[in-house]
């Protein structure tokens, strides 16, 4: 794999960013990769308005991974205050999964959290039913905190649940 370059997203990236995220999380295209939610959720993962809101917020950044100018992945980092940052929207083009890009995106997100927000800890939430993904994050040094958070079951902006049993587990790593 050619080494990707990383840069913060801008509003001009939103259309391509939205296509990438939807292709990796929802529908048949997502099933090309191993880490999708297509069997748990239908509908959308996000929308362009939400992505623009993220980019307009100085406390959040979306890092893009590109190879030769082609968008292949992204990750969001959000300042939670008191040394805590949040990792979200980790996305790898489904045709490029299992090639190490996810690990590189996490490393870039952790560095960004330390440098931009002076974070000493990173947390994330993962749908409890995604056990393979939780195990993958554990191999990257994240640990389950024992805390759970509700999934927004009735907010179509985050998808259409195939089960009402969805909830998030919270994972954390010291930076």
């Amino acid at each position: 794999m050619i080494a990707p370059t990383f840069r913060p997203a801008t509003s001009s990236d939103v259309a391509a960013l939205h296509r990438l995220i939807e292709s990796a999380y929802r529908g048949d295209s997502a099933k090309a990769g191993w880490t999708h939610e297509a069997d748990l959720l239908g509908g959308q993962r996000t929308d362009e308005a939400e992505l623009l809101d993220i980019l307009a917020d100085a406390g959040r950044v979306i890092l893009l991974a590109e190879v030769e100018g082609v968008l292949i992945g992204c990750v969001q980092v959000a300042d939670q205050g008191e040394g805590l940052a949040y990792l979200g929207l980790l996305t790898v083009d489904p045709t490029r999964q299992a090639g190490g890009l996810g690990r590189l995106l996490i490393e870039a997100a952790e560095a960004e959290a330390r440098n931009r927000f002076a974070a000493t800890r990173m947390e994330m939430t993962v749908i409890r039913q995604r056990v393979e993904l939780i195990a993958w994050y554990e191999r990257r040094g994240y640990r389950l905190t024992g805390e759970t958070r509700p999934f927004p079951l009735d907010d179509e902006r985050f998808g259409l649940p195939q089960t009402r049993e969805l909830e998030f587990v919270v994972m954390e790593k010291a930076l």
Side-chain angles (χ1 to χ4, degrees):
M1 173 175 86
I2 298 172
T5 57
F6 298 96
R7 67 172 177 85
T10 66
S11 59
S12 64
D13 297 309
V14 167
L17 183 58
H18 183 247
R19 281 191 302 274
L20 172 71
I21 292 167
E22 294 304 311
S23 75
Y25 280 88
R26 300 289 194 269
D28 290 337
S29 63
K31 293 179 182 179
W34 69 271
T35 173
H36 62 82
E37 301 171 346
D39 295 331
L40 298 172
L41 292 153
Q44 69 179 30
R45 170 59 180 83
T46 188
D47 56 36
E48 290 188 15
E50 181 187 16
L51 295 172
L52 287 168
D53 286 347
I54 292 169
L55 297 180
D57 184 341
R60 299 187 285 178
V61 63
I62 297 177
L63 296 178
L64 304 182
E66 297 174 318
V67 170
E68 298 175 345
V70 176
L71 178 62
I72 61 170
C74 70
V75 63
Q76 177 192 191
V77 181
D79 184 17
Q80 303 292 84
E82 298 181 13
L84 180 64
Y86 180 84
L87 185 149
L89 283 179
L90 180 63
T91 306
V92 173
D93 177 325
T95 65
R96 295 176 182 261
Q97 289 183 9
L101 180 57
R103 179 181 42 80
L104 294 175
L105 280 160
I106 288 175
E107 290 170 1
E110 291 169 352
E112 190 76 11
R114 284 189 301 269
N115 297 333
R116 184 182 292 245
F117 303 125
T120 57
R121 297 174 297 131
M122 182 80 88
E123 81 168 10
M124 69 177 75
T125 54
V126 182
I127 295 173
R128 178 178 49 83
Q129 288 84 348
R130 299 191 65 201
V131 292
E132 298 92 354
L133 186 58
I134 291 168
W136 186 82
Y137 284 126
E138 288 176 324
R139 292 191 298 275
R140 310 275 101 53
Y142 287 82
R143 63 171 185 78
L144 290 164
T145 66
E147 180 185 352
T148 61
R149 295 184 186 155
F151 187 89
L153 293 170
D154 299 312
D155 190 338
E156 291 183 6
R157 293 176 307 151
F158 300 103
L160 304 171
Q162 305 299 317
T163 174
R164 303 289 297 173
E165 306 301 315
L166 299 180
E167 73 176 347
F168 291 116
V169 294
V170 178
M171 302 186 78
E172 187 174 285
K173 179 181 178 179
L175 301 179

